[in-house]
Amino acid sequence: MKEVDARGLSCPEPIMLTAEALKITNGPIKVLVSEPYQRANVEKYAKDHGKKTTSTEKGSEFEIIIE
């Protein structure tokens, strides 16, 4: 599973990193972000591109699985 660590980055960097990972990866992608709005943005981007997302809160951070 490809992992994108976007914790601590400002928008639009998490979206840009997620978009790049989706282009080069066929399997699931794990995206790590540190803010709730970043989680929402990444989930919306993935859904807009026909992907399913599952997210969990890990302490003060979020893990999003894109399939």
Side-chain angles (χ1 to χ4, degrees):
M1 177 182 303
K2 171 104 175 122
E3 183 174 303
V4 175
D5 187 352
R7 293 175 290 185
L9 299 178
S10 299
C11 277
E13 289 178 283
I15 297 294
M16 293 168 54
L17 293 172
T18 300
E20 185 63 30
L22 284 170
K23 284 181 192 172
I24 62 172
T25 305
N26 289 327
I29 300 168
K30 179 194 302 183
V31 183
L32 305 172
V33 296
S34 49
E35 298 293 332
Y37 72 90
Q38 294 170 332
R39 175 185 69 178
N41 289 344
V42 169
E43 288 175 335
K44 183 179 182 330
Y45 181 86
K47 289 176 184 175
D48 287 349
H49 288 82
K51 304 292 185 181
K52 290 191 319 180
T53 64
T54 306
S55 63
T56 54
E57 192 168 348
K58 306 268 184 172
S60 63
E61 300 173 340
F62 302 93
E63 176 182 284
I64 306 144
I65 305 297
I66 302 172
E67 300 182 83

